[in-house]
């Protein structure tokens, strides 16, 4: 189990450092993860990104930027 946690942490670190914006959605289209590149480009504050908002609400935010 610890091995899996280490692998997930490594994968998250890689995705965070990409220059391409990434958004991970769950089956209900709620945001589960947004990497730094996406947050920076669309000016998404951490508290909004971490609030499990819907993808539609995220796009409305981006439209105003």
């Amino acid at each position: 189990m610890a091995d899996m946690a280490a692998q997930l942490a490594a994968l998250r670190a890689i995705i965070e450092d990409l220059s391409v914006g990434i958004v991970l959605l769950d089956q209900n289209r709620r945001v589960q993860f947004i990497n730094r590149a996406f947050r920076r480009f669309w000016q998404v504050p951490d508290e909004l990104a971490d609030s499990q908002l819907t993808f539609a609400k995220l796009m409305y935010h981006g439209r105003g930027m």
Side-chain angles (χ1 to χ4, degrees), residues 36-50:
R36 277 191 288 249
F38 189 98
R39 290 177 194 219
R40 194 172 31 250
F41 184 82
W42 293 105
Q43 299 176 20
V44 178
D46 290 342
E47 56 276 359
L48 182 63
D50 297 336

Side-chain angles (χ1 to χ4, degrees), residues 26-43:
D26 66 12
Q27 66 273 16
N28 297 316
R29 294 185 191 93
R30 289 202 170 275
V31 174
Q32 297 299 305
F33 174 81
I34 302 174
N35 75 341
R36 277 191 288 249
F38 189 98
R39 290 177 194 219
R40 194 172 31 250
F41 184 82
W42 293 105
Q43 299 176 20

Side-chain angles (χ1 to χ4, degrees), residues 5-37:
Q7 290 174 348
L8 288 173
L11 181 58
R12 184 181 185 106
I14 290 167
I15 292 171
E16 278 287 5
D17 287 338
L18 292 175
S19 60
V20 175
I22 295 177
V23 177
L24 177 65
L25 305 174
D26 66 12
Q27 66 273 16
N28 297 316
R29 294 185 191 93
R30 289 202 170 275
V31 174
Q32 297 299 305
F33 174 81
I34 302 174
N35 75 341
R36 277 191 288 249

